[in-house]
């Protein structure tokens, strides 16, 4: 079988950032890319890296890397039919039980051996075990349809962002300040750990340490893809303004003068966790690219990483919290009651809701938005993937 990379070709990395239910947007972008590729095209992303919910999409894609278009259709089908109860307990008994455990643990010190969390993510474990064939990763690596796939989680005791990766044996581990790369055979536990938003979902024990959401201390989200050999990266973000462009900034909202609700505060904290580090890393990489271009290639100091890395970013053209606010009525009754006090069911608290609203109406609108945003960058994507002058497949209608 033809290799997907060679010394003469750039190695393309795909980076899927975290963001809970916002990751539905990534599926729309991937569906557009699948439609832009020629018929029966191989996996165009030898390196796939994901964090949080992006890790689930990344591994889902890697599991089906032998049949790229089919794996995209499978991901799309799952996200289009999502309901909250498939991700965490949203029924009255489940919500009340988890809330009482959280209060008992946090205020009374009861059940200290049980990881503390507001929501029970056991349904997500069952969904991943049912939908993912993890053996597909090894098969794709063996047939050279995949170089490596990686997910990042945060170790609560070590304080390190640990990137667990599965790929070719020639890829060496790396050790940097508070971030390391560890070769392993990926499992559902790694995905649950990477997607465990602090306090909202329970941490997951891997070996001897508990891990949580990888975005918590991931200071360099693009770095793992480069360590795994990528020489250019496509970043699919979940922020409406990844580079600070004035044209994409959200409209300034009317100031009410009221104290911020707990949901508003939580929404800003989640944005800081999932979005700010990625934006900063993109900005840093672009500065290094400019610096590297000023130095002749033959004068590049070895090991300083000044070789330019091409970066293409696809991110939402609309504020996702506004979309979540339109769909907040889809939240199950028990969750609406549970989140009403903190203010998450009000428009002002839609920021935190945009991460937790795993319902079909909201997810489908994000998929549609991702598809349209990717198609708006069709020329850039074709050029980035080296398909600008290749025979193109007939573009089909966007996902329903």
């Amino acid at each position: 079988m033809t290799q997907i990379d060679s010394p003469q070709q750039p190695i393309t990395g795909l980076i899927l950032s975290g963001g809970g239910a916002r990751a539905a947007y990534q599926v729309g972008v991937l569906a557009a890319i699948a439609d832009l590729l020629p018929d029966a095209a191989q996996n165009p992303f030898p390196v796939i890296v994901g964090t949080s919910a992006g890790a689930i999409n990344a591994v889902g894609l890697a599991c089906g890397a032998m049949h790229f278009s089919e794996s995209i259709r499978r991901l799309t089908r799952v996200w289009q039919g999502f309901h909250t109860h498939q991700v965490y307990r949203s029924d009255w008994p489940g919500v009340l039980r988890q809330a009482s455990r959280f209060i008992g643990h946090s205020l009374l010190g009861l059940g200290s051996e049980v990881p503390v969390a507001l929501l029970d993510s056991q349904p997500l474990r069952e969904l991943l075990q049912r939908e993912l064939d993890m053996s597909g990763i090894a098969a794709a690596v063996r047939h050279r349809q995949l170089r490596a796939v990686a997910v990042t989680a945060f170790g609560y005791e070590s304080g390190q962002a640990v990137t667990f990766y599965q790929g070719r044996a020639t890829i060496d581990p790396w050790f940097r300040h508070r971030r390391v790369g560890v070769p392993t055979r990926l499992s559902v536990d790694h995905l649950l750990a990477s997607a465990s938003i602090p306090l909202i979902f329970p941490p997951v024990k891997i070996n001897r340490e508990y891990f949580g959401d990888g975005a918590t201390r991931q200071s360099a989200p693009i770095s793992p893809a480069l360590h795994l050999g990528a020489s250019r990266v496509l970043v699919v973000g979940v922020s409406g303004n990844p580079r600070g462009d004035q044209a994409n900034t959200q409209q300034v909202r009317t100031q009410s003068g009221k104290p911020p609700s707990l949901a508003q505060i939580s929404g800003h904290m989640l944005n800081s966790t999932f979005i700010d580090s990625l934006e900063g890393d993109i900005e840093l990489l672009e500065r290094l690219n400019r610096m590297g271009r000023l130095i002749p290639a033959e004068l590049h100091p070895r090991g300083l990483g000044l070789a330019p890395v091409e970066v293409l970013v696809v991110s939402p053209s609309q504020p996702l919290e506004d979309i979540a606010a339109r769909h907040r009525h889809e939240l199950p009754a028990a969750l609406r009651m549970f989140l009403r006090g903190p203010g998450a069911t009000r428009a002002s608290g839609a920021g935190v809701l945009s991460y937790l609203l795993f319902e079909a109406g909201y997810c489908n609108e994000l998929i549609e938005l991702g598809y349209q945003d990717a198609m708006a960058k069709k020329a850039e994507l074709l050029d980035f993937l080296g398909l600008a002058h290749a025979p193109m497949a007939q573009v089909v209608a966007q996902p329903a």
Side-chain angles (χ1 to χ4, degrees):
M1 187 171 292
T2 304
Q3 296 183 19
I4 55 175
D5 58 279
S6 69
Q8 291 76 34
Q9 296 177 331
I11 298 177
T12 305
L14 173 66
I15 297 177
L16 302 175
S17 61
R22 290 181 173 218
Y25 175 85
Q26 299 168 350
V27 178
V29 174
L30 293 172
I33 292 173
D35 284 347
L36 291 174
L37 292 173
D39 291 332
Q42 296 179 349
N43 170 33
F45 304 110
V47 174
I48 305 174
V49 176
T51 303
S52 192
I56 294 174
N57 285 339
V59 170
L61 191 59
C63 288
M66 295 284 290
H67 306 282
F68 180 76
S69 295
E70 176 58 33
S71 69
I72 298 300
R73 285 192 290 270
R74 187 180 182 91
L75 267 178
T76 304
R77 175 183 59 79
V78 171
W79 278 94
Q80 284 179 333
F82 246 141
H83 294 287
T84 301
H85 66 80
Q86 295 175 291
V87 180
Y88 52 87
R89 290 285 300 273
S90 58
D91 57 302
W92 280 107
V95 170
L96 293 175
R97 176 175 177 271
Q98 196 67 17
S100 62
R101 287 178 59 182
F102 183 85
I103 294 172
H105 183 287
S106 302
L107 300 182
L108 304 177
L110 302 176
S112 58
E113 297 301 317
V114 179
V116 60
L118 285 168
L119 300 172
D120 180 359
S121 60
Q122 179 61 27
L124 178 58
R125 176 183 291 275
E126 296 169 0
L127 175 69
L128 295 177
Q129 290 173 337
R130 184 170 63 250
E131 294 290 341
L132 295 179
D133 179 9
M134 305 296 283
S135 65
I137 298 175
V141 172
R142 186 169 59 251
H143 289 90
R144 304 185 75 80
Q145 293 299 297
L146 183 69
R147 179 179 174 85
V149 58
V151 303
T152 299
F154 170 69
Y156 280 104
E157 290 191 28
S158 65
Q160 292 181 322
V162 180
T163 298
F164 298 99
Y165 68 89
Q166 182 174 346
R168 298 185 187 173
T170 55
I171 301 174
D172 294 326
W174 61 90
F175 302 90
R176 300 292 185 270
H177 179 63
R178 293 199 178 278
R179 50 190 176 92
V180 299
V182 178
T184 190
R185 191 175 185 89
L186 292 176
S187 68
V188 168
D189 280 342
H190 294 98
L191 304 186
L192 290 171
S194 183
S196 293
I197 301 174
L199 297 182
I200 296 179
F201 298 123
V204 177
K205 193 173 186 179
I206 299 176
N207 298 325
R208 292 178 296 177
E209 185 175 9
Y210 277 97
F211 287 85
D213 199 296
T216 304
R217 290 286 291 272
Q218 193 177 28
S219 58
I222 297 176
S223 177
L226 305 183
H227 282 292
L228 295 172
S231 56
R232 63 182 181 187
V233 291
L234 171 64
V235 180
V236 184
V238 293
S239 164
N241 184 33
R243 300 184 184 213
D245 299 332
Q246 292 299 319
N248 289 335
T249 52
Q250 301 174 19
Q251 295 180 350
V252 178
R253 304 179 189 277
T254 302
Q255 296 181 355
S256 65
K258 297 180 180 179
S261 66
L262 180 59
Q264 281 179 287
I265 295 172
S266 300
H268 287 297
M269 292 177 65
L270 289 172
N271 287 342
S272 176
T273 298
F274 290 108
I275 295 172
D276 292 353
S277 60
L278 178 61
E279 294 176 354
D281 205 29
I282 292 172
E283 184 178 341
L284 174 61
L285 185 57
E286 290 178 338
R287 286 203 301 268
L288 290 174
N289 281 343
R290 289 193 294 269
M291 181 186 303
R293 293 187 187 102
L294 295 175
I295 303 174
E298 62 273 13
L299 298 181
H300 276 186
R302 291 183 178 273
L304 291 186
L306 290 179
V309 177
E310 184 181 359
V311 181
L312 178 61
V313 181
V314 181
S315 60
S317 58
Q318 300 177 27
L320 300 191
E321 54 265 39
D322 289 355
I323 299 176
R326 294 199 297 270
H327 291 275
R328 61 183 183 271
H329 64 278
E330 298 177 15
L331 202 65
L335 262 295
R336 285 203 303 271
M337 178 68 71
F338 185 62
L339 297 175
R340 182 177 300 166
T345 57
R346 299 194 295 269
S348 60
V352 68
L353 192 63
S354 69
Y355 292 91
L356 299 177
L357 189 56
F358 291 92
E359 290 294 333
Y362 175 61
C363 291
N364 275 277
E365 188 164 347
L366 295 197
I367 292 172
E368 169 75 12
L369 179 63
Y371 190 97
Q372 297 296 343
D373 286 348
M375 283 301 181
K377 290 195 170 188
K378 175 180 176 180
E380 294 175 71
L381 283 168
L382 292 178
D383 183 63
F384 180 83
L385 296 173
L387 299 171
H389 305 291
M392 292 304 304
Q394 181 70 33
V395 176
V396 300
Q398 63 266 26

